[in-house]
Amino acid sequence: AAHLRAAETAISRADVLVTAVTRLRGTRAEAARLIPPALTGAEAELAPFRDGTADEGGTHARLLHADAVLAAVRQETTSGHPYDPLGVLRRIVQATAPLATGRSGALAAAARLVALESLAAADDCVTVHREAVGAAPRVLLSRARSADGPARADALAREARDLAEQDVRLRGHPA
């Protein structure tokens, strides 16, 4: 009976991982399609700050940072080298967030996609390693699910996954 339960658990974990790989493949393709409109949306969000009003306080520094990130993203995506489309979208969203006014639907879609993938990946990690994962990652994951806004959900989900992976490294892989 114990061997049967262990086999069922292994099959269940394998199913979660195979489903995660399939989901990630689709999400990465969607992210790659979203990069050009997200870059355009980011430029549209930054345009009002280019008329000289960016000299106020830290706005100029935020604009310079966003410009540097967008230039690096363009370089990375056109270099011909492999890159992580979800990571690129995350960088675009995070760089423009301090200046964004919410007018760009592409940036909002990018933020949602990144957050949903982070939530799913954290959930998969907790599910596959449920015996080793403690309460802290589970609480963070729960908070991520109910977070206000995709940026907060993404940050909490990523932190939950990091803590879950740390728990797995500390406690091992119970059978």
Side-chain angles (χ1 to χ4, degrees):
H3 293 294
L4 181 59
R5 278 192 302 274
E8 288 172 342
T9 299
I11 290 170
S12 175
R13 287 178 179 165
D15 180 51
V16 170
L17 293 172
V18 168
T19 302
V21 167
T22 304
R23 183 197 67 245
L24 183 59
R25 183 181 313 125
T27 303
R28 287 175 53 93
E30 170 94 13
R33 284 190 297 272
L34 262 176
I35 290 171
L39 284 168
T40 303
E43 289 298 338
E45 289 282 352
L46 299 177
F49 298 99
R50 298 190 195 287
D51 64 4
T53 59
D55 295 334
E56 318 169 342
T59 304
H60 183 66
R62 286 186 221 113
L63 180 61
L64 289 175
H65 173 71
D67 283 340
V69 169
L70 296 180
V73 161
R74 280 190 192 90
Q75 174 66 31
E76 184 177 348
T77 58
T78 60
S79 69
H81 298 291
Y83 63 92
D84 174 18
L86 284 166
V88 166
L89 279 184
R90 181 176 287 113
R91 288 171 35 211
I92 293 169
V93 169
Q94 288 176 343
T96 57
L99 299 170
T101 59
R103 292 178 299 195
S104 172
L107 281 177
R112 275 192 307 276
L113 181 69
V114 167
L116 288 173
E117 180 54 36
S118 293
L119 282 164
D123 191 45
D124 292 343
C125 183
V126 168
T127 300
V128 168
H129 304 291
R130 65 182 167 265
E131 294 90 356
V133 174
R138 295 170 194 275
V139 169
L140 276 174
L141 184 56
S142 176
R143 287 178 46 208
R145 287 186 187 115
S146 61
D148 290 337
R152 184 74 177 138
D154 179 48
L156 288 171
R158 292 177 73 205
E159 186 178 352
R161 183 175 177 180
D162 289 345
L163 285 176
E165 289 173 350
Q166 182 180 11
D167 283 354
V168 171
R169 285 191 301 275
L170 290 173
R171 296 186 179 104
H173 300 276

